Amino acid sequence: MAANPLLLCHVPKTAGTALRHLVQAVAPDACFAYERQLSLVDPNLDFIARFRTSPSPPVVMGHFSFGVHRFLGVPPRYAIVLREPVSRVVSLYRYQLSLADSPFAAHFRHDRSLAGFVGSGVTEMTNNHMCRMVAGIAPDVGKVIQGSWLLDCALHNLERFFPLVGTHERLDRFVAGLCGELQWPEGTLPRKNVTPGEYPALDDAAMDLLLERNALDVALYAHVEKSLAAQRPSAPA
């Protein structure tokens, strides 16, 4: 067992469900935390105690942010997949709108618009959520964060503690890097959790709101894309 597990942060709507299926297929001893066990606000202490007294898995994957290594008692070795921010938020909106049991169902009964979903502050996932996760900022529903300090913190953590960073648009490259990092056989992603139907047309007001609420994520994503574009993919052996 690996003594230094890779902590794979699953940002909602970045093909993480497909990635999870790959991890489950290749590493049956992986650990998953999708039920807020590693929430920065209210972590599950029983889950953490069991983790600390069990053999270390090669991967811990789930909806968690930077900082959970302190709970788990392991080194800060993270991986993450980012996505073009406007596409990610639109995909999140479409997915939640399609769920009969969405946690935002009450909001949608009054306002089913994309602009309403983003502008209401009903979830922090529509406001620089990728920066929040990489920076290790605890969820705070209704609080809009636009300060450049958040981007600075995210970039600092990304450079120091994330040996593996990819994008939704270059997912095959991330998967190859993940398999190489963990010495797994080469894998391919299944197509999972794709919301059917067409993307909504965005008027100028909706686009402006999306860009305003996610300006720091846009900058973070641009930084990662520039870095990945400058790297040459490894030549096949």
Side-chain angles (χ1 to χ4, degrees), residues 4-232:
N4 183 7
L6 186 68
L7 306 176
L8 181 48
C9 303
H10 176 177
V11 181
K13 306 315 295 180
T14 57
T17 301
L19 193 58
R20 178 180 179 179
H21 279 77
L22 174 64
V23 172
Q24 288 173 320
V26 178
D29 54 344
C31 176
F32 296 95
Y34 279 91
E35 303 297 329
R36 299 183 58 81
Q37 297 99 323
L38 297 177
S39 164
L40 295 181
V41 177
D42 184 25
N44 184 320
L45 299 183
D46 290 337
F47 175 91
I48 292 170
R50 287 194 302 272
F51 181 93
R52 282 175 168 257
T53 55
S54 300
S56 181
V59 179
V60 181
M61 182 178 183
H63 291 315
F64 53 75
S65 301
F66 175 83
V68 301
H69 64 281
R70 301 184 184 96
F71 296 155
L72 301 176
V74 299
R77 178 177 172 238
Y78 288 83
I80 196 167
V81 174
L82 306 180
R83 182 175 180 178
E84 190 284 312
V86 170
S87 295
R88 192 195 72 81
V89 174
V90 172
S91 181
L92 175 71
Y93 158 76
R94 293 179 64 245
Y95 176 64
Q96 292 297 334
L97 195 63
S98 73
L99 297 177
D101 60 347
S102 168
F104 314 114
H107 167 82
F108 287 136
R109 281 195 290 271
H110 300 286
D111 186 349
R112 294 174 63 84
S113 70
L114 172 60
F117 183 60
V118 175
S120 66
V122 69
T123 172
E124 74 283 351
M125 290 187 288
T126 62
N127 170 226
N128 292 315
H129 191 55
M130 295 190 296
C131 277
R132 291 177 189 239
M133 290 185 68
V134 177
I137 303 301
D140 194 349
V141 175
K143 183 176 179 61
V144 175
I145 304 179
Q146 305 284 65
S148 61
W149 62 267
L150 178 62
L151 175 62
D152 292 341
C153 186
L155 289 172
H156 170 83
N157 286 348
L158 205 68
E159 296 297 331
R160 292 192 62 191
F161 304 117
F162 285 76
L164 188 59
V165 180
T167 65
H168 180 272
E169 292 73 16
R170 300 174 187 261
L171 202 53
D172 289 346
R173 188 164 160 183
F174 177 84
V175 170
L178 177 67
C179 293
E181 180 81 13
L182 296 171
Q183 300 181 347
W184 288 349
E186 201 170 311
T188 55
L189 288 183
R191 186 172 170 82
K192 296 286 183 180
N193 204 27
V194 179
T195 307
E198 297 183 358
Y199 269 53
L202 299 181
D203 59 28
D204 290 344
M207 179 62 80
D208 288 347
L209 179 61
L210 279 165
L211 292 174
E212 175 197 344
R213 290 293 175 92
N214 295 280
L216 304 181
D217 272 6
V218 169
L220 180 70
Y221 178 82
H223 172 86
V224 169
E225 265 291 293
K226 183 178 179 180
S227 176
L228 291 176
Q231 298 173 9
R232 292 185 178 182

